[in-house]
Amino acid sequence: MSAHRVTLRGVTYVFGSLRELLAKATPRRSGDELAGLAAAHAVERAAAQHALAEVPLAQFLAEPLVPYDTDEVTRLILDTHDAAAFAPVRDLSVGQFRDWLLRYETTGPELAALAPGLTPEMVAAVSKLMRNQDLVLVASKCEVVTRFRNTLGLRGHLAVRLQPNHPTDDAHGIAASVLDGLLYGCGDAVIGINPATDSPARTAELLRLVDDLIQTYRIPTQSCILAHITTQLAALGAGAPLDLVFQSVAGTEAANTSFGVNLALLREAQDAARSLRRGPLGDNVMYFETGQGSCLSADAHHGIDQQTLEVRAYAVARAFAPLLVNTVVGFIGPEYLYDGKQIIRAGLEDHCCGKLLGLPMGVDVCYTNHAEADQDDMDTLLTLLGTAGVNYIMGVPGADDIMLGYQSTSFHDAQYLRQLLGRRPAPEFEAWLDEMRIARPHDQRLLPIGRTHALLAPHEP
């Protein structure tokens, strides 16, 4: 393991390992400062970026950041690396890789073919050399398509997770939020509820509630109750109508252990959900959420910066062919992303890095009330992600999640982005919106809703 040296302004900076180099090359964020990993000042950060640009991509295969023998995420990354897919860039340095990604000639199909040959560390490294506009441009080249009851991720489309959380899991409150979201054209990514109570009985009850709605109105979407994976498996075993399996994942084995999961459990859940054959269009049955800082929260970061660890979590997700991956970018709090500037940067990094690894990335454009951020910052990130081709965003009533206590994006925000950029819902969902007279088919303009609308009329079981 060799040191990395660079001289700037007559001062020689020495970085003793890839781990230290990656951390000090990272744009400033509070989580790395909290962990004592960040560059001391902007000049040291620039020196680290200069040194990082000279590192060969292949060095990340030879020098694992977390030991192979003690971490199953490292073993997953290295054991599944596709050398043939890596061949087009294997002789490049990190800086040369950035230039290659930004070329006119580098296309989306080329990036899709390359994805199995990239490791998270390579992708995290190149993102540290990118400006925000670079992250937007590179991500915009990537198209990642997945299917369950509809088709998500097609170029020119933008899906929305309808998030009707309620602080007491009240069925009437949840149903009212779902109805509101559907009438705004939201819900094609998933109707996903974070339960207030993590129990198999409550999970099964909520699954039946949403499934009844989907089946009654023939809505081409999928449901998910975001309980712990073991709770969902228990509900499934009791006969609950489960579509997608949800789990939060992280970038080290120790952090995943703190979540109560490992790769074997994720595989068991994927097999169980696929065995139900509930998706008529595809078998992408997994839904993963991530967030910068989760490994540090669990004291399982191994001295690695939070963004690199976040991208390692995407290797976990990639192994299970998910329908949806979502970085809940500002949710963990200002200890990890202090203000709007840091949240915007992290959201663009996460989306770009996930897309380069071949993942169907969505972003929860969000912040907590004690962060130095506001809804104007979220408008900026939302717009940037729209131009970058984000697969989906969140639809929360009023943008204020009253159960989880944080600020996100609203049903109206989704309409803003679709209108601004000409984005359309998932094709099957778009046809349903037309059939239900919710939106016009040619431009997705919302139609007036009267008392006799099919979704508002009393339903006889």
Side-chain angles (χ1 to χ4, degrees):
M1 189 177 296
S2 57
H4 305 267
R5 288 179 168 81
V6 67
T7 300
L8 286 183
R9 298 182 178 180
V11 177
T12 298
Y13 295 88
V14 180
F15 308 98
S17 65
L18 271 180
R19 188 181 300 173
E20 180 185 2
L21 182 62
L22 286 165
K24 293 191 172 179
T26 303
R28 184 181 181 187
R29 62 205 55 194
S30 53
D32 292 336
E33 293 174 336
L34 177 67
L37 304 174
H41 44 69
V43 177
E44 185 182 26
R45 184 175 300 111
Q49 290 169 342
H50 273 271
L52 181 60
E54 300 300 319
V55 173
L57 289 178
Q59 190 168 339
F60 293 101
L61 296 172
E63 296 184 27
L65 301 186
V66 185
Y68 182 93
D69 292 339
T70 60
D71 186 88
E72 68 172 0
V73 178
T74 298
R75 293 194 291 275
L76 173 70
I77 291 167
L78 296 179
D79 292 349
T80 60
H81 180 254
D82 188 329
F86 182 53
V89 299
R90 65 185 172 196
D91 296 324
L92 301 183
S93 68
V94 176
Q96 291 170 329
F97 183 41
R98 172 188 175 274
D99 294 342
W100 184 89
L101 289 170
L102 293 169
R103 295 187 317 163
Y104 288 111
E105 296 81 7
T106 300
T107 65
E110 283 182 285
L111 293 178
L114 177 65
L118 296 176
T119 69
E121 292 82 0
M122 296 174 191
V123 171
V126 75
S127 75
K128 298 175 191 297
L129 306 184
M130 290 183 175
R131 294 169 57 185
N132 283 3
Q133 66 174 238
D134 299 340
L135 296 168
V136 170
L137 179 59
V138 171
S140 74
K141 297 183 180 187
C142 302
E143 181 183 53
V144 182
V145 178
T146 55
R147 293 177 174 87
F148 189 75
R149 284 203 188 92
N150 56 23
T151 305
L152 301 173
L154 292 168
R155 191 171 299 281
H157 293 256
L158 171 72
V160 184
R161 171 188 161 186
L162 205 171
Q163 184 170 308
N165 296 344
H166 192 279
T168 63
D169 289 335
D170 179 76
H172 292 91
I174 289 170
S177 294
V178 171
L179 174 63
D180 190 22
L182 291 173
L183 294 177
Y184 269 96
C186 299
D188 45 346
V190 63
I191 300 175
I193 304 170
N194 297 88
T197 303
D198 194 300
S199 73
R202 179 57 57 86
T203 297
E205 176 185 340
L206 294 175
L207 283 169
R208 284 190 287 270
L209 171 68
V210 181
D211 185 65
D212 180 61
L213 180 69
I214 289 173
Q215 300 304 329
T216 298
Y217 294 100
R218 304 185 308 279
I219 308 172
T221 190
Q222 34 282 328
S223 67
C224 186
I225 307 304
L226 283 71
H228 191 270
I229 193 168
T230 54
T231 304
Q232 295 168 80
L233 285 174
L236 183 155
L242 183 144
D243 289 342
L244 306 183
V245 174
F246 163 81
Q247 182 56 46
S248 294
V249 293
T252 68
E253 179 178 343
N256 284 322
T257 298
S258 76
F259 291 163
V261 300
N262 55 40
L263 299 181
L265 179 58
L266 296 176
R267 182 69 64 195
E268 176 190 344
Q270 181 188 41
D271 291 343
R274 282 181 169 175
S275 72
L276 300 177
R277 301 185 183 277
R278 291 176 58 83
L281 298 185
D283 63 355
N284 299 120
V285 297
M286 303 299 283
Y287 174 13
F288 294 111
E289 285 192 352
T290 65
Q292 289 196 26
S294 59
C295 291
L296 179 56
S297 295
D299 194 24
H301 60 94
H302 297 275
I304 301 169
D305 69 273
Q306 66 183 36
Q307 190 253 343
T308 299
L309 290 169
E310 170 74 3
V311 187
R312 279 173 57 96
Y314 301 157
V316 175
R318 180 170 63 174
F320 298 95
L323 182 77
L324 307 164
V325 178
N326 177 37
T327 168
V328 192
V329 68
F331 182 73
I332 301 181
E335 300 84 0
Y336 304 100
L337 297 169
Y338 178 72
D339 56 15
K341 180 181 177 67
Q342 292 187 11
I343 292 171
I344 289 168
R345 172 71 191 190
L348 296 177
E349 287 171 348
D350 293 354
H351 176 250
C352 181
C353 290
K355 283 290 186 66
L356 282 175
L357 289 174
L359 289 179
M361 289 300 298
V363 179
D364 191 343
V365 180
C366 65
Y367 64 101
T368 57
N369 290 318
H370 59 309
E372 290 294 322
D374 58 28
Q375 211 64 39
D376 286 338
D377 295 316
M378 299 305 101
D379 288 349
T380 299
L381 178 54
L382 175 67
T383 305
L384 288 169
L385 287 166
T387 63
V390 68
N391 278 31
Y392 69 102
I393 60 170
M394 304 298 111
V396 177
D400 183 1
D401 192 304
I402 59 173
M403 195 277 281
L404 292 176
Y406 79 117
Q407 308 302 310
S408 184
T409 46
S410 70
F411 306 142
H412 185 271
D413 293 332
Q415 280 300 317
Y416 149 74
L417 203 56
R418 283 175 174 168
Q419 182 179 346
L420 175 70
L421 301 175
R423 299 289 193 262
R424 299 160 63 184
E428 302 84 358
F429 195 80
E430 182 179 38
W432 180 81
L433 293 174
D434 177 35
E435 176 188 343
M436 299 296 291
R437 301 294 296 156
I438 293 173
R440 298 194 310 203
H442 61 285
D443 63 2
Q444 284 303 295
R445 181 169 179 171
L446 295 176
L447 297 172
I449 301 297
R451 291 183 180 180
T452 59
H453 191 277
L455 284 178
L456 300 179
H459 170 63
E460 296 294 334

